[in-house]
Amino acid sequence: MPPEGGSRGKPCRNSHDDVVRPEPADVSCRGERSTFRGPELSNSLMHGKAPKEYLSLWSVIALGIGSMVGAGIFALMGQATLMAGKNVYWSFLLGGAAALLSGYTYAKLGSRYPGSGGIMDYFNQAFSHKTLSGALTLIYLGTLVITVALVAKSFGAYASRLFLPDGMVSMYSTALFASVAILLLGALNMGGAKAVGKSEVVMVAFKLLILTVLMLASFGSTVPVGADPIPVKGLDGLLGSVGLTFFAFAGYGMMANTAGNLKNPAKTLPKAIFLAIGIVLVLYLVLSYVVLSNVPATSLESHTETAVAQAAYPVLGVWGFMAVSVAALIATASAINATMFSMLDISRALAHNGQLGAIFKRPFWGNGTEGFFYLLLGILVMTNAFNLVAIANLAGACFLISYLAVFVAHWRLRKETKGNILLIILGFLLMLFILGAFFYQMFFSQPYLIPLIVLFVAACFVLEFLIRRKMAKTAASKAP
């Protein structure tokens, strides 16, 4: 993020479209890292280096699908189904509609500002008050931290079911496996290892293959005779679950970061985002059918965190359960690694621009910083202090707040992006409604989370205000 009053470099016109392409000198780090691509490509995009060739339409679609069909569906399918019951189909449809409208906003902003810093740069472009844009960026960084805790918790749940007998599976075993994943992948990121990213494509292909086999095997299956099927839940459960199902689509924002690597971003990016979200929506609806068809209500309540793997038992047996669990471990580990990679880059860039304290650029070990190490400690505390449902609610609410702010940014930039006013307003109102319903559900189920979210948002604004005041005092003391 550029300092207040700074410039991101002279914009230059591209001959094939009407977009602004900033020079790479001040391009900030990418906030939304795919779980599909490796660090090599990510670094190329992040630092504004031109790729050897343009990305194709289907390459961008693959990046989006790989990002969306990640840990979220493995972690949240069971919880969303538990809340909405057989209405989970409608929950995913509403979450998908919100994602499509938000995707329109990302497509317009990404097309107008390709090669920029993603969500962080949109805030900088839209809000002249740097305390506001900086605080929104800190909220997004905090959302990534919470997301790592959620995904690590899901990793721990699947690892416990896969490696331990049922009698030994507990909240403590889940926390142990989750903590080990956080420490190992945190060390991997600080060590600067690049080999992990090279296997991302294979990981995503394996994950989709396993899910496809599960879906094909499940057609025509029903809950065993004598078992209690998952019931239809009320409207409050349906609306409250949409915040979670929207979170399962949240990775589409990453696709906007590829705009600078498209030959014609104004044409390719919207098409790629809409196709990717549409494909993923169909996949989620089919997976909902699989869970509803194969998992009894009592089993869903006792195995909420591993519902997708549980659904494999009736149709694929123990080997199917193991295969889906392995796919879940791959997806969650990949997502943790990618999100940590983003956290490290974003926090270091913000520190260099005066947005965060010096500890976030002070070397700690390898490629890591002291600030990143403290973030890891915070993730460990959150993972062990809260259950998966609580962390999922925190992550879902913070993502909704961040993406809601993107609608506001798009509204302020609507003339530059030539955005459709009706779609911007409709998307904003739908996401605001989802956020309100999400808070309403939390008020009755986990009311203590609401003041935590308010405190987190307020802390980001206070921290940014203090940082800006310190920067102003430092600049004044250096002035002649």
Side-chain angles (χ1 to χ4, degrees):
M1 179 177 293
E4 187 170 3
S7 171
R8 275 183 294 272
K10 292 182 179 180
C12 57
R13 292 286 176 185
N14 187 294
S15 60
H16 59 258
D17 52 19
D18 183 25
V19 297
V20 176
R21 298 181 181 274
E23 292 181 356
D26 292 327
V27 173
S28 59
C29 293
R30 296 293 179 196
E32 301 186 47
R33 187 79 58 227
S34 167
T35 59
F36 183 88
R37 65 188 177 191
E40 293 85 359
L41 178 56
S42 298
N43 277 324
S44 172
L45 300 179
M46 182 174 59
H47 296 296
K49 299 176 182 178
K52 295 180 179 179
E53 58 184 17
Y54 289 115
L55 293 173
S56 68
L57 170 66
W58 286 103
S59 295
V60 181
I61 292 174
L63 291 175
I65 293 175
S67 180
M68 284 185 280
V69 186
I73 193 63
F74 289 102
L76 301 177
M77 174 63 79
Q79 183 59 32
T81 306
L82 191 65
M83 293 174 62
K86 290 186 176 180
N87 287 327
V88 71
Y89 297 115
W90 291 105
S91 181
F92 275 109
L93 283 172
L94 286 172
L100 285 169
L101 289 169
S102 179
Y104 170 80
T105 281
Y106 267 92
K108 284 293 186 179
L109 289 170
S111 299
R112 184 66 175 86
Y113 306 106
S116 63
I119 191 172
M120 296 181 297
D121 225 24
Y122 305 154
F123 292 152
N124 277 330
Q125 293 281 357
F127 305 113
S128 58
H129 198 294
K130 295 308 177 183
T131 299
L132 175 59
S133 62
L136 291 174
T137 299
L138 291 180
I139 291 173
Y140 181 71
L141 177 60
T143 301
L144 295 183
V145 172
I146 300 171
T147 300
V148 172
L150 167 65
V151 178
K153 199 79 170 183
S154 180
F155 178 95
Y158 278 97
S160 294
R161 295 279 323 273
L162 182 62
F163 297 120
L164 298 177
D166 289 342
M168 295 182 63
V169 175
S170 67
M171 58 181 294
Y172 302 107
S173 63
T174 297
L176 177 61
F177 280 112
S179 300
V180 170
I182 292 169
L183 292 173
L184 289 180
L185 291 170
L188 183 66
N189 273 272
M190 287 194 288
K194 296 183 179 180
V196 175
K198 296 180 180 179
S199 60
E200 293 287 351
V201 174
V202 177
M203 290 180 180
V204 171
F206 174 77
K207 175 178 57 182
L208 293 179
L209 174 64
I210 294 299
L211 291 177
T212 300
V213 172
L214 172 61
M215 290 185 293
L216 292 175
S218 297
F219 279 107
S221 62
T222 58
V223 174
V225 177
D228 50 334
I230 297 172
V232 177
K233 297 293 183 71
L235 183 62
D236 56 340
L238 167 62
L239 296 178
S241 68
V242 179
L244 295 180
T245 53
F246 172 77
F247 179 77
F249 291 95
Y252 65 82
M254 174 280 306
M255 300 171 69
N257 292 340
T258 66
N261 303 278
L262 300 176
K263 188 174 183 179
N264 189 347
K267 178 180 178 181
T268 304
L269 188 60
K271 189 181 299 184
I273 289 179
F274 294 144
L275 281 173
I277 294 175
I279 292 170
V280 170
L281 175 58
V282 172
L283 176 63
Y284 287 170
L285 291 174
V286 178
L287 280 176
S288 299
Y289 166 81
V290 171
V291 172
L292 291 172
S293 300
N294 296 296
V295 182
T298 52
S299 181
L300 179 65
E301 292 177 2
S302 57
H303 301 297
T304 305
E305 299 175 357
T306 56
V308 178
Q310 193 67 25
Y313 253 132
V315 291
L316 297 176
V318 65
W319 289 106
F321 171 83
M322 293 175 64
V324 173
S325 296
V326 170
L329 292 180
I330 291 173
T332 49
S334 174
I336 293 170
N337 178 64
T339 309
M340 284 185 174
F341 191 68
S342 293
M343 284 168 45
L344 180 58
D345 284 341
I346 293 171
S347 60
R348 183 187 285 114
L350 293 177
H352 279 291
N353 288 327
Q355 301 292 120
L356 284 176
I359 61 172
F360 285 95
K361 60 181 178 180
R362 190 178 302 146
F364 177 73
W365 175 75
N367 192 44
T369 64
E370 287 186 19
F372 180 73
F373 174 74
Y374 290 128
L375 288 179
L376 292 181
L377 293 182
I379 292 171
L380 283 172
V381 171
M382 182 179 299
T383 303
N384 288 274
F386 297 98
N387 59 32
L388 186 140
V389 178
I391 301 174
N393 284 333
L394 287 171
C398 291
F399 255 111
L400 285 168
I401 292 171
S402 295
Y403 281 25
L404 198 61
V406 176
F407 275 113
V408 179
H410 190 196
W411 174 262
R412 293 177 63 86
L413 297 170
R414 63 189 183 280
K415 292 182 179 179
E416 287 83 351
T417 64
K418 298 181 174 63
N420 185 293
I421 295 177
L422 180 60
L423 291 179
I424 298 173
I425 294 175
L426 183 61
F428 175 84
L429 291 178
L430 178 58
M431 193 162 293
L432 184 63
F433 175 77
I434 293 173
L435 181 61
F438 203 41
F439 273 108
Y440 177 81
Q441 173 267 327
M442 276 192 287
F443 179 78
F444 290 100
S445 61
Q446 293 176 309
Y448 67 92
L449 293 179
I450 296 178
L452 284 180
I453 295 171
V454 174
L455 183 63
F456 164 68
V457 172
C460 289
F461 276 91
V462 171
L463 178 60
E464 183 65 19
F465 172 77
L466 294 176
I467 291 173
R468 288 289 171 183
R469 189 169 68 171
K470 182 179 179 181
M471 291 173 61
K473 289 182 178 180
T474 302
S477 64
K478 293 182 179 179

